[in-house]
Amino acid sequence: MKNSEKICIVTGASSGIGFGIAKSLIGDNHIVIATARRKENLTKLDISPENLFAGDLNQPELQDSLIDFAFNKYGRCDYLFNCAGTLETGTIEDINIERLSAMLRLNVEATFRLTYAMLKRFKKQGFGHIVNISSVLGTKVRVTAGGYAATKFAMEALSEALRMELTGTSIKISCIEPGLVMTELHKNWEVHPKESMGITEPLTVENIVESVKFIMNQPEHVRIPKLMILPKDHNI
Ligand SMILES: NC(=O)c1ccc[n+]([C@@H]2O[C@H](COP(=O)([O-])OP(=O)(O)OC[C@H]3O[C@@H](n4cnc5c(N)ncnc54)[C@H](OP(=O)(O)O)[C@@H]3O)[C@@H](O)[C@H]2O)c1
């Protein structure tokens, strides 16, 4: 194994930001362990099928098997990219409560649990980097986005607590806070947010990948706990 080769677990790797990050890591000759529910999309990453874990991230067994695989096969893990997430909108009064609960389970509970389990391994090996894909909505609330923002505020709290708790160690935590990115996240929306928000040029997955590369390329003593990235028309 080459010294520069990183072992990376990527959740939400079947589309959008997670797929883009996984693809870029593979292109840079890193080892990717990818997970999401849609197996057919994961196979498009064109890596060994044993590195693909198709399933629901809410299942603790799936999370454990990702981590066990990394350590059993490669003896370590360098990066955890928490990209899996869903978006449900609606006023607090009218939002579909079952879908809201499912979002809370995935965006908050699954992210916290996977991070908790990985942290124990990172502590044991003495290094590691967790990269959380939060949102600009992890820093402010918008009408009809209270539920989603709550999940991203939780991710920010997790990241900020870890930043302080890991001070002085070689374990890093970074939280990326994108504005609107063109992915499948809004695919079922009647009016796409680029119309309702007047965003002429939303971010691309490549823009987020570049911010990930920036974070990964920092020297050992540098920490990037937060990185907000917005399209030029974002005005709220
Ligand atoms: N797009 C934006 O404007 C934007 C802005 C800020 C932040 N973000 C955040 O970026 C992250 C990635 O979103 P995206 O924009 O790339 O959207 P996306 O293309 O819809 O990607 C979401 C990913 O999450 C996975 N996922 C959903 N439910 C899952 C489950 N129960 N178990 C396992 N995986 C699950 C999906 O895979 P499967 O369906 O195959 O399971 C997919 O790979 C999310 O956390 C989102 O909140 C997005």
Side-chain angles (χ1 to χ4, degrees):
M1 202 179 291
K2 285 166 258 132
N3 221 8
S4 55
E5 189 177 73
K6 303 297 182 196
I7 313 300
C8 311
I9 294 177
V10 183
T11 75
S14 63
S15 65
I17 293 171
F19 183 85
I21 290 173
K23 201 82 194 145
S24 157
L25 291 167
I26 293 161
D28 288 341
N29 297 317
H30 299 306
I31 302 281
V32 167
I33 300 160
T35 188
R37 290 166 304 178
R38 285 169 294 171
K39 192 174 183 178
E40 66 282 9
N41 285 27
L42 290 177
T43 57
K44 290 182 193 150
L45 287 171
D46 218 11
I47 53 175
S48 166
E50 68 169 354
N51 285 40
L52 304 178
F53 289 76
D56 190 330
L57 197 66
N58 292 305
Q59 294 171 340
E61 311 76 45
L62 176 85
Q63 300 194 0
D64 293 343
S65 55
L66 290 170
I67 298 175
D68 287 344
F69 177 78
F71 283 86
N72 292 340
K73 175 140 195 216
Y74 303 106
R76 66 168 211 272
C77 184
D78 299 283
Y79 283 91
L80 167 63
F81 291 92
N82 281 317
C83 305
T86 55
L87 167 60
E88 293 298 331
T89 55
T91 61
I92 301 299
E93 186 182 359
D94 290 331
I95 196 166
N96 179 314
I97 195 66
E98 297 310 327
R99 296 177 71 92
L100 170 68
S101 298
M103 174 175 69
L104 290 167
R105 273 197 300 280
L106 178 70
N107 294 14
V108 181
E109 191 179 326
T111 302
F112 270 64
R113 193 191 181 284
L114 184 57
T115 302
Y116 169 90
M118 183 54 94
L119 184 61
K120 301 221 177 293
R121 303 292 191 105
F122 281 173
K123 272 284 175 81
K124 216 166 177 183
Q125 70 180 8
F127 61 89
H129 196 153
I130 298 162
V131 180
N132 286 331
I133 306 299
S134 172
S135 166
V136 63
L137 284 164
T139 68
K140 74 193 297 292
V141 181
R142 277 207 297 267
V143 171
T144 73
Y148 179 73
T151 71
K152 296 304 184 181
F153 269 67
M155 195 180 237
E156 297 280 337
L158 170 70
S159 307
E160 181 63 358
L162 282 176
R163 180 189 67 76
M164 294 184 285
E165 290 165 10
L166 296 170
T167 306
T169 74
S170 292
I171 303 168
K172 306 180 197 178
I173 173 84
S174 300
C175 207
I176 300 178
E177 299 159 340
L180 183 63
V181 189
M182 287 307 282
T183 67
E184 294 180 15
L185 200 65
H186 310 95
K187 70 172 184 248
N188 296 324
W189 287 37
E190 275 172 32
V191 181
H192 194 277
K194 76 179 178 188
E195 315 298 342
S196 51
M197 293 172 71
I199 294 182
T200 52
E201 201 175 348
L203 300 172
T204 62
V205 167
E206 290 67 35
N207 297 143
I208 309 304
V209 166
E210 283 307 312
S211 65
V212 166
K213 286 186 178 176
F214 173 74
I215 288 170
M216 289 178 77
N217 286 334
Q218 296 305 311
E220 163 51 28
H221 68 286
V222 173
R223 299 289 179 272
I224 313 262
K226 288 171 196 274
L227 199 161
M228 186 180 286
I229 168 165
L230 299 175
K232 72 178 189 321
D233 297 322
H234 188 105
N235 67 354
I236 49 170

